[in-house]
Amino acid sequence: MSALPLTFAEFYPRYLREHSRRGTRVLHFVGTTLFLGCVVMLGITGQWGWLPAGIVAAYGFAWVGHFFVEHNRPATFQHP
């Protein structure tokens, strides 16, 4: 497999391996949900501070899942 997957068929098995533990998937779900909530709050309030808060929440929860549950490096660090 190449360092940077080019097709879905190459990408998906790798994605499943890197997210094999339930805790990692739960933390990704929580982070993504918080991000979407922050985007909604941005739309409601017009306060742009919600956007960085959402990004920090999304990446923070995902990174915790990878480092402490899955024990691997997030793709963000492998292919920035």
Side-chain angles (χ1 to χ4, degrees):
M1 184 180 315
S2 66
L4 192 61
L6 301 176
T7 67
F8 184 76
E10 293 171 331
F11 163 78
Y12 198 58
R14 181 178 179 172
Y15 176 86
L16 291 176
R17 278 192 311 274
E18 293 180 359
H19 300 85
S20 64
R21 296 180 182 218
R22 184 176 188 271
T24 303
R25 296 188 302 270
V26 168
L27 287 167
H28 275 61
F29 178 80
V30 170
T32 300
T33 302
L34 288 172
F35 172 77
L36 293 174
C38 287
V39 169
V40 168
M41 290 303 296
L42 166 62
I44 291 170
T45 67
Q47 295 178 348
W48 284 96
W50 286 105
L51 186 59
I55 293 169
V56 167
Y59 278 105
F61 276 88
W63 290 350
V64 167
H66 282 286
F67 287 126
F68 300 107
V69 177
E70 202 71 42
H71 303 288
N72 61 17
R73 289 178 47 203
T76 314
F77 297 136
Q78 297 172 8
H79 310 290

XYZ file of all heavy atoms in Angstrom:
646
model
N 0.842 -1.172 0.000
C 0.000 0.000 0.000
C 0.889 1.237 0.000
O 1.876 1.317 0.707
C -0.912 -0.006 1.233
C -1.882 1.134 1.240
S -2.996 1.184 2.680
C -3.512 -0.474 2.841
N 0.518 2.221 -0.774
C 1.306 3.445 -0.838
C 1.149 4.258 0.448
O 0.240 4.027 1.237
C 0.859 4.280 -2.044
O -0.471 4.729 -1.848
N 2.048 5.197 0.656
C 1.999 6.026 1.857
C 0.740 6.876 1.897
O 0.190 7.130 2.946
C 3.232 6.912 1.916
N 0.270 7.307 0.747
C -0.927 8.134 0.676
C -1.956 7.417 -0.195
O -1.834 7.417 -1.416
C -0.573 9.499 0.090
C -1.605 10.587 0.193
C -1.915 10.883 1.669
C -1.090 11.865 -0.435
N -2.955 6.747 0.405
C -3.928 5.978 -0.378
C -4.622 6.849 -1.420
O -4.996 7.986 -1.143
C -4.926 5.486 0.668
C -4.208 5.567 1.963
C -3.241 6.694 1.826
N -4.794 6.297 -2.591
C -5.394 7.045 -3.683
C -6.828 6.633 -3.956
O -7.583 7.408 -4.513
C -4.554 6.878 -4.953
C -3.108 7.349 -4.843
C -2.357 7.044 -6.132
C -3.054 8.826 -4.531
N -7.205 5.421 -3.605
C -8.563 4.958 -3.883
C -9.243 4.560 -2.578
O -8.591 4.318 -1.565
C -8.557 3.732 -4.817
O -7.970 2.630 -4.115
C -7.783 4.007 -6.096
N -10.563 4.492 -2.623
C -11.311 4.065 -1.456
C -10.935 2.641 -1.067
O -10.813 2.325 0.121
C -12.817 4.162 -1.727
C -13.647 3.827 -0.525
C -13.773 4.731 0.509
C -14.291 2.604 -0.423
C -14.533 4.432 1.636
C -15.049 2.294 0.692
C -15.168 3.211 1.720
N -10.699 1.786 -2.059
C -10.326 0.392 -1.791
C -8.996 0.308 -1.046
O -8.785 -0.605 -0.247
C -10.252 -0.394 -3.097
N -8.098 1.237 -1.284
C -6.829 1.275 -0.559
C -6.995 1.923 0.816
O -6.367 1.509 1.786
C -5.783 2.057 -1.347
C -5.352 1.393 -2.633
C -4.485 2.304 -3.483
O -4.639 3.539 -3.404
O -3.659 1.769 -4.230
N -7.834 2.941 0.877
C -7.999 3.720 2.097
C -8.777 2.980 3.178
O -8.373 2.968 4.342
C -8.711 5.043 1.763
C -9.284 5.739 2.960
C -8.461 6.467 3.807
C -10.633 5.663 3.255
C -8.978 7.118 4.919
C -11.165 6.301 4.357
C -10.333 7.028 5.196
N -9.895 2.360 2.820
C -10.826 1.858 3.835
C -10.251 0.761 4.725
O -10.430 0.815 5.945
C -12.139 1.428 3.190
C -13.259 1.307 4.189
C -13.643 2.397 4.963
C -13.920 0.101 4.393
C -14.659 2.295 5.891
C -14.941 -0.009 5.324
C -15.307 1.096 6.064
O -16.302 0.989 6.988
N -9.549 -0.241 4.210
C -8.962 -1.245 5.121
C -7.984 -0.617 6.119
O -7.943 -0.997 7.284
C -8.250 -2.225 4.185
C -8.922 -2.059 2.874
C -9.340 -0.613 2.810
N -7.215 0.349 5.659
C -6.287 1.038 6.562
C -7.049 1.820 7.624
O -6.692 1.812 8.797
C -5.394 1.970 5.742
C -4.400 2.699 6.572
C -3.523 3.547 5.684
N -2.560 4.273 6.485
C -1.578 4.976 5.995
N -1.406 5.039 4.698
N -0.764 5.610 6.782
N -8.106 2.503 7.212
C -8.942 3.255 8.151
C -9.507 2.326 9.223
O -9.474 2.650 10.413
C -10.077 3.952 7.399
C -11.033 4.664 8.311
C -10.775 5.964 8.731
C -12.187 4.035 8.780
C -11.644 6.623 9.589
C -13.052 4.684 9.639
C -12.778 5.971 10.035
O -13.634 6.610 10.895
N -9.996 1.159 8.810
C -10.568 0.207 9.777
C -9.511 -0.297 10.753
O -9.786 -0.438 11.939
C -11.218 -0.967 9.041
C -12.494 -0.641 8.266
C -12.979 -1.874 7.518
C -13.572 -0.091 9.183
N -8.296 -0.551 10.274
C -7.212 -0.990 11.162
C -6.862 0.092 12.182
O -6.592 -0.200 13.338
C -5.955 -1.341 10.353
C -5.953 -2.715 9.753
C -4.577 -3.092 9.223
N -3.957 -2.082 8.383
C -4.161 -1.959 7.075
N -4.994 -2.778 6.460
N -3.546 -1.025 6.378
N -6.852 1.343 11.753
C -6.451 2.439 12.635
C -7.569 2.878 13.584
O -7.338 3.718 14.446
C -5.946 3.610 11.807
C -4.647 3.275 11.104
C -4.095 4.405 10.272
O -4.723 5.485 10.209
O -3.030 4.207 9.681
N -8.758 2.328 13.398
C -9.907 2.642 14.256
C -10.572 1.348 14.714
O -11.791 1.241 14.753
C -10.917 3.510 13.502
C -10.353 4.816 13.045
N -9.669 4.952 11.871
C -10.352 6.039 13.631
C -9.287 6.213 11.742
N -9.681 6.891 12.795
N -9.782 0.373 15.106
C -10.314 -0.953 15.404
C -10.963 -1.056 16.783
O -11.802 -1.925 17.009
C -9.208 -2.008 15.277
O -8.208 -1.781 16.249
N -10.608 -0.173 17.699
C -11.154 -0.254 19.064
C -12.379 0.649 19.209
O -12.401 1.772 18.726
C -10.089 0.132 20.074
C -8.938 -0.847 20.056
C -7.882 -0.472 21.042
N -6.790 -1.415 20.936
C -6.126 -1.860 21.983
N -6.424 -1.458 23.193
N -5.144 -2.709 21.811
N -13.346 0.137 19.928
C -14.598 0.861 20.118
C -14.385 2.223 20.763
O -14.998 3.214 20.368
C -15.556 0.018 20.970
C -16.903 0.647 21.143
C -17.843 -0.278 21.929
N -19.178 0.241 21.937
C -19.651 1.084 22.860
N -18.866 1.488 23.831
N -20.891 1.516 22.799
N -13.496 2.299 21.736
C -13.237 3.567 22.417
C -12.760 4.655 21.471
O -13.135 5.823 21.611
N -11.940 4.289 20.502
C -11.463 5.254 19.514
C -12.623 5.792 18.698
O -12.738 7.003 18.484
C -10.429 4.599 18.573
O -9.362 4.072 19.362
C -9.878 5.587 17.569
N -13.481 4.897 18.258
C -14.640 5.315 17.456
C -15.592 6.185 18.267
O -16.123 7.174 17.759
C -15.339 4.095 16.866
C -14.455 3.331 15.877
C -15.209 2.235 15.148
N -15.816 1.260 16.026
C -15.241 0.152 16.460
N -13.998 -0.132 16.099
N -15.877 -0.691 17.244
N -15.785 5.846 19.545
C -16.657 6.654 20.407
C -16.072 8.057 20.572
O -16.804 9.058 20.470
C -16.864 5.973 21.783
C -17.500 6.927 22.772
C -17.704 4.717 21.634
N -14.780 8.156 20.815
C -14.160 9.466 20.976
C -14.226 10.281 19.685
O -14.435 11.501 19.718
C -12.719 9.318 21.461
C -12.598 8.891 22.921
C -11.170 8.457 23.238
C -13.038 10.010 23.853
N -14.078 9.640 18.533
C -14.246 10.339 17.260
C -15.677 10.854 17.124
O -15.902 11.978 16.674
C -13.925 9.402 16.085
C -12.478 9.333 15.741
N -11.523 8.895 16.615
C -11.829 9.624 14.604
C -10.346 8.917 16.025
N -10.503 9.369 14.798
N -16.637 10.030 17.506
C -18.042 10.434 17.422
C -18.312 11.638 18.323
O -18.968 12.603 17.913
C -18.952 9.260 17.806
C -20.410 9.612 17.801
C -21.117 9.666 16.616
C -21.065 9.900 18.983
C -22.458 10.011 16.607
C -22.405 10.243 18.993
C -23.104 10.297 17.798
N -17.797 11.596 19.551
C -17.999 12.703 20.488
C -17.371 13.979 19.929
O -18.001 15.044 19.930
C -17.420 12.365 21.879
C -17.402 13.591 22.785
C -18.215 11.240 22.520
N -16.148 13.891 19.454
C -15.473 15.065 18.906
C -16.187 15.639 17.702
O -16.344 16.859 17.575
N -16.643 14.772 16.815
C -17.365 15.226 15.632
C -18.692 15.868 16.018
O -19.078 16.908 15.468
C -17.604 14.048 14.663
O -16.331 13.512 14.285
C -18.355 14.487 13.429
N -19.387 15.269 16.989
C -20.656 15.827 17.458
C -20.437 17.205 18.081
O -21.205 18.146 17.823
C -21.317 14.872 18.465
O -21.520 13.602 17.829
C -22.642 15.415 18.948
N -19.396 17.344 18.891
C -19.090 18.648 19.483
C -18.746 19.673 18.406
O -19.159 20.836 18.483
C -17.948 18.525 20.490
C -18.306 17.824 21.798
C -17.051 17.585 22.629
C -19.327 18.635 22.578
N -17.989 19.250 17.399
C -17.660 20.158 16.296
C -18.931 20.652 15.612
O -19.100 21.853 15.376
C -16.737 19.486 15.280
C -16.529 20.322 14.056
C -15.664 21.405 14.090
C -17.211 20.052 12.888
C -15.482 22.204 12.968
C -17.035 20.840 11.762
C -16.169 21.913 11.796
N -19.827 19.729 15.297
C -21.069 20.125 14.633
C -21.903 21.034 15.526
O -22.515 21.996 15.042
C -21.859 18.881 14.216
C -21.204 18.034 13.132
C -21.990 16.747 12.907
C -21.050 18.819 11.844
N -21.934 20.761 16.822
C -22.638 21.632 17.760
C -22.049 23.035 17.772
O -22.780 24.031 17.821
N -20.732 23.119 17.708
C -20.082 24.426 17.677
C -20.392 25.169 16.378
O -20.589 26.388 16.380
C -18.567 24.267 17.850
S -18.076 23.822 19.538
N -20.466 24.447 15.271
C -20.831 25.076 13.998
C -22.263 25.612 14.075
O -22.553 26.725 13.607
C -20.656 24.094 12.817
C -21.279 24.635 11.547
C -19.180 23.786 12.601
N -23.150 24.844 14.677
C -24.530 25.310 14.865
C -24.542 26.563 15.732
O -25.232 27.545 15.425
C -25.413 24.188 15.466
C -26.751 24.733 15.929
C -25.602 23.064 14.458
N -23.771 26.551 16.806
C -23.709 27.715 17.687
C -23.131 28.932 16.954
O -23.584 30.056 17.162
C -22.899 27.408 18.942
C -23.573 26.457 19.902
S -25.202 27.018 20.445
C -24.768 28.503 21.341
N -22.168 28.708 16.094
C -21.639 29.790 15.266
C -22.757 30.386 14.420
O -22.906 31.609 14.332
C -20.500 29.284 14.383
C -20.052 30.198 13.235
C -19.508 31.512 13.769
C -19.008 29.492 12.388
N -23.542 29.501 13.814
C -24.655 29.974 12.992
C -25.704 30.724 13.793
O -26.280 31.708 13.322
N -25.958 30.286 14.998
C -26.979 30.917 15.840
C -26.495 32.253 16.394
O -27.222 33.249 16.371
C -27.391 29.973 16.992
C -28.154 28.773 16.441
C -28.225 30.711 18.035
C -28.399 27.677 17.463
N -25.261 32.266 16.907
C -24.770 33.449 17.615
C -23.961 34.398 16.740
O -23.829 35.575 17.063
C -23.880 33.043 18.802
O -22.684 32.430 18.309
C -24.612 32.119 19.758
N -23.383 33.877 15.665
C -22.506 34.693 14.831
C -21.153 34.958 15.466
O -20.360 35.725 14.946
N -20.866 34.290 16.584
C -19.586 34.468 17.268
C -18.580 33.456 16.732
O -18.737 32.247 16.903
C -19.767 34.303 18.776
C -20.644 35.365 19.387
C -20.850 35.154 20.873
O -20.529 34.111 21.428
N -21.414 36.160 21.526
N -17.540 33.969 16.093
C -16.575 33.110 15.411
C -15.718 32.288 16.356
O -15.036 31.359 15.928
C -15.698 33.956 14.484
C -16.462 34.326 13.258
C -17.143 35.491 13.043
C -16.669 33.522 12.110
N -17.761 35.459 11.822
C -17.478 34.248 11.220
C -16.254 32.251 11.740
C -17.872 33.752 9.985
C -16.646 31.750 10.504
C -17.446 32.493 9.647
N -15.750 32.572 17.639
C -14.998 31.779 18.607
C -15.458 30.332 18.666
O -14.712 29.450 19.107
N -16.680 30.082 18.211
C -17.180 28.712 18.197
C -16.418 27.828 17.206
O -16.295 26.616 17.422
C -18.672 28.679 17.865
C -19.519 29.143 18.989
C -20.164 30.342 19.111
C -19.810 28.411 20.192
N -20.828 30.404 20.310
C -20.635 29.237 20.989
C -19.450 27.163 20.673
C -21.111 28.838 22.242
C -19.918 26.767 21.905
C -20.731 27.594 22.679
N -15.924 28.413 16.120
C -15.230 27.600 15.116
C -13.933 26.999 15.649
O -13.750 25.777 15.566
C -14.987 28.402 13.839
C -14.402 27.611 12.673
C -15.305 26.450 12.285
C -14.168 28.528 11.492
N -13.021 27.792 16.214
C -11.820 27.153 16.770
C -12.139 26.202 17.921
O -11.456 25.182 18.093
C -10.942 28.318 17.219
C -11.788 29.525 17.174
C -12.947 29.255 16.283
N -13.172 26.527 18.707
C -13.558 25.616 19.797
C -13.972 24.262 19.226
O -13.616 23.210 19.764
C -14.689 26.226 20.623
N -14.712 24.284 18.138
C -15.135 23.033 17.503
C -13.975 22.249 16.936
O -13.915 21.017 17.050
N -13.033 22.954 16.331
C -11.854 22.285 15.765
C -11.018 21.649 16.867
O -10.583 20.494 16.746
C -11.028 23.279 14.917
C -11.831 23.684 13.677
C -9.678 22.692 14.535
C -11.239 24.845 12.902
N -10.818 22.376 17.962
C -10.060 21.833 19.089
C -10.766 20.607 19.660
O -10.126 19.587 19.967
C -9.842 22.906 20.177
C -9.342 22.301 21.470
C -8.888 23.979 19.672
N -12.085 20.677 19.787
C -12.843 19.539 20.314
C -12.705 18.325 19.395
O -12.429 17.211 19.854
C -14.317 19.907 20.489
N -12.881 18.538 18.107
C -12.828 17.414 17.156
C -11.459 16.751 17.161
O -11.344 15.532 17.316
C -13.182 17.899 15.754
N -10.411 17.554 16.995
C -9.068 16.976 16.964
C -8.660 16.451 18.334
O -8.008 15.411 18.433
C -8.045 18.000 16.454
C -8.005 18.083 14.958
C -8.572 19.152 14.291
C -7.407 17.078 14.209
C -8.540 19.229 12.911
C -7.363 17.139 12.835
C -7.935 18.221 12.185
O -7.902 18.286 10.828
N -9.017 17.162 19.380
C -8.650 16.720 20.726
C -9.181 15.341 21.054
O -8.436 14.457 21.505
N -10.468 15.125 20.842
C -11.047 13.821 21.142
C -10.478 12.738 20.218
O -10.198 11.617 20.663
C -12.575 13.866 21.031
C -13.241 14.368 22.278
C -13.450 15.723 22.476
C -13.655 13.493 23.269
C -14.052 16.197 23.624
C -14.256 13.950 24.430
C -14.453 15.311 24.611
N -10.280 13.049 18.947
C -9.714 12.065 18.017
C -8.295 11.692 18.428
O -7.930 10.506 18.434
C -9.738 12.614 16.592
N -7.490 12.681 18.788
C -6.102 12.407 19.171
C -6.032 11.597 20.455
O -5.197 10.699 20.571
C -5.322 13.695 19.298
C -5.061 14.383 17.986
C -5.283 13.878 16.736
C -4.544 15.685 17.799
N -4.943 14.799 15.786
C -4.481 15.921 16.410
C -4.144 16.688 18.665
C -4.017 17.123 15.876
C -3.676 17.887 18.132
C -3.612 18.088 16.749
N -6.892 11.901 21.406
C -6.929 11.099 22.642
C -7.238 9.646 22.285
O -6.615 8.710 22.795
C -7.942 11.670 23.650
C -8.222 10.677 24.771
C -7.429 12.984 24.220
N -8.185 9.450 21.389
C -8.531 8.094 20.966
C -7.357 7.368 20.337
O -7.110 6.193 20.622
N -6.626 8.058 19.496
C -5.494 7.404 18.830
C -4.334 7.160 19.783
O -3.759 6.075 19.796
C -5.041 8.226 17.623
C -5.924 8.051 16.437
N -5.919 6.913 15.665
C -6.881 8.853 15.912
C -6.817 7.024 14.699
N -7.416 8.194 14.838
N -3.978 8.152 20.568
C -2.810 8.017 21.445
C -3.053 7.066 22.615
O -2.194 6.253 22.939
C -2.373 9.378 21.990
C -1.702 10.251 20.967
C -2.161 11.537 20.737
C -0.620 9.804 20.227
C -1.550 12.352 19.804
C -0.005 10.605 19.295
C -0.470 11.889 19.080
N -4.203 7.173 23.264
C -4.417 6.463 24.524
C -5.306 5.226 24.422
O -5.279 4.389 25.314
C -4.980 7.422 25.580
C -4.056 8.564 25.866
C -4.343 9.837 25.422
C -2.870 8.355 26.554
C -3.484 10.898 25.666
C -2.001 9.398 26.807
C -2.304 10.680 26.360
N -6.093 5.109 23.370
C -6.958 3.934 23.213
C -6.393 3.021 22.123
O -6.152 1.841 22.340
C -8.411 4.344 22.882
C -9.282 3.121 22.655
C -8.990 5.221 23.987
N -6.162 3.586 20.957
C -5.707 2.788 19.809
C -4.197 2.576 19.824
O -3.688 1.638 19.218
C -6.123 3.500 18.520
C -6.202 2.621 17.314
C -7.364 1.667 17.348
O -8.474 2.049 17.731
O -7.157 0.496 16.963
N -3.464 3.474 20.478
C -2.002 3.431 20.550
C -1.361 3.494 19.171
O -0.463 2.723 18.839
C -1.520 2.196 21.318
C -2.075 2.115 22.703
N -1.678 2.952 23.716
C -3.040 1.313 23.231
C -2.351 2.664 24.811
N -3.185 1.685 24.551
N -1.843 4.440 18.362
C -1.235 4.706 17.069
C -1.201 6.214 16.846
O -1.685 6.977 17.672
C -1.958 3.975 15.932
C -3.411 4.383 15.786
O -3.854 5.414 16.284
N -4.174 3.573 15.084
N -0.601 6.619 15.756
C -0.500 8.048 15.458
C -1.656 8.457 14.565
O -1.944 7.792 13.571
C 0.812 8.345 14.737
C 1.999 8.218 15.667
C 3.312 8.466 14.987
N 3.275 9.646 14.167
C 4.095 9.858 13.151
N 4.996 8.968 12.825
N 4.008 10.974 12.452
N -2.306 9.581 14.871
C -3.385 10.064 14.023
C -2.873 10.377 12.625
O -1.718 10.790 12.444
C -3.853 11.357 14.703
C -3.328 11.283 16.099
C -2.105 10.442 16.037
N -3.718 10.219 11.631
C -3.337 10.507 10.243
C -2.920 11.959 10.081
O -2.139 12.277 9.181
C -4.484 10.172 9.302
N -3.405 12.834 10.946
C -3.026 14.242 10.894
C -1.513 14.383 10.976
O -0.935 15.263 10.321
C -3.643 15.009 12.083
O -4.995 14.662 12.212
C -3.508 16.504 11.903
N -0.866 13.547 11.749
C 0.582 13.624 11.917
C 1.324 12.869 10.819
O 2.481 13.131 10.560
C 1.002 13.068 13.270
C 0.461 13.852 14.433
C -0.072 13.202 15.519
C 0.464 15.224 14.435
C -0.557 13.917 16.601
C -0.025 15.962 15.495
C -0.532 15.288 16.584
N 0.655 11.917 10.193
C 1.298 11.120 9.143
C 1.214 11.817 7.794
O 2.136 11.756 7.004
C 0.648 9.740 9.061
C 0.831 8.936 10.330
C 0.019 7.662 10.329
O -0.587 7.291 9.324
N -0.018 6.978 11.451
N 0.079 12.455 7.506
C -0.165 13.109 6.214
C -0.833 14.458 6.464
O -2.029 14.597 6.242
C -1.075 12.252 5.322
C -0.630 10.842 5.196
N 0.495 10.481 4.503
C -1.147 9.699 5.693
C 0.636 9.172 4.577
N -0.335 8.666 5.296
N -0.080 15.448 6.930
C -0.706 16.727 7.312
C -1.369 17.479 6.188
O -1.272 17.461 5.122
C 0.442 17.538 7.876
C 1.683 16.818 7.592
C 1.339 15.442 7.171
